[in-house]
Amino acid sequence: MTVQSILKHKAKGNGPTAVTVQSSATVMEAARKLAQFKIGAVVVTKIDGGVAGILSERDIVRRIAEVGPDILSVPVRDVMTREVVTCTAETTVDEVMARMTHGRFRHMPVIDANNRLVDVISIGDVVKRHVEDVEHEATALREYIYTH
């Protein structure tokens, strides 16, 4: 199973779910987007649609603890995580789970062949898809057992 299967499943809803900000936006503006869309991270994009960074709730909370509330008025570029782990639609879900577990993060931008943002998947998306596959497999096994 690949990330493409997660993206197809998400597309049945409202299409791509990536919420983005520019690096010049303030941390407060990014925090407002997090609250508005009820999400845990925003992708910071370049003008060409590439991924410049990612900013999570955790990033904001840690910086508030270090610096104080004044951090909310600084540009996102000063707080964002610059070394972003990404995947493509062809990446396996097992590899995504391994990367997220190893890096201890919950959101991963999906990029295309030109390194432009396609969407974002969360650990929740990955787990939901994995559970659905396990349930489907269990149902298929039960049907096989009952018919043989």
Side-chain angles (χ1 to χ4, degrees):
M1 176 177 40
T2 65
V3 168
Q4 184 63 42
S5 65
I6 294 172
L7 296 178
K8 283 182 183 176
H9 186 44
K10 287 177 71 170
K12 291 178 184 177
N14 298 330
T17 57
V19 176
T20 64
V21 295
Q22 295 296 309
S23 63
S24 59
T26 66
V27 174
M28 178 59 90
E29 290 169 323
R32 285 189 179 121
K33 280 194 174 191
L34 292 172
Q36 175 187 356
F37 293 101
K38 298 180 174 113
I39 55 175
V42 292
V43 179
V44 184
T45 53
K46 300 175 185 175
I47 293 171
D48 67 358
V51 176
I54 193 164
L55 182 72
S56 71
E57 295 168 324
R58 290 178 182 179
D59 294 327
I60 296 170
V61 169
R62 286 182 182 133
R63 291 303 296 269
I64 288 173
E66 294 169 2
V67 178
D70 290 344
I71 199 69
L72 297 173
S73 63
V74 305
V76 167
R77 71 176 149 266
D78 294 345
V79 179
M80 70 183 188
T81 299
R82 293 177 185 276
E83 299 296 321
V84 181
V85 178
T86 61
C87 65
T88 66
E90 293 76 33
T91 306
T92 67
V93 172
D94 288 341
E95 188 173 345
V96 167
M97 286 192 299
R99 289 180 190 176
M100 287 181 165
T101 301
H102 178 73
R104 303 186 80 201
F105 55 84
R106 302 176 321 179
H107 301 87
M108 184 179 289
V110 181
I111 57 171
D112 65 15
N114 296 315
N115 293 319
R116 287 189 298 255
L117 182 67
V118 173
D119 205 342
V120 175
I121 58 173
S122 69
I123 191 64
D125 298 327
V126 173
V127 169
K128 180 179 178 183
R129 185 68 184 146
H130 187 69
V131 167
E132 289 170 355
D133 284 347
V134 168
E135 288 173 351
H136 178 72
E137 186 176 315
T139 299
L141 285 171
R142 277 192 291 276
E143 288 175 4
Y144 176 79
I145 290 168
Y146 291 137
T147 60
H148 288 84

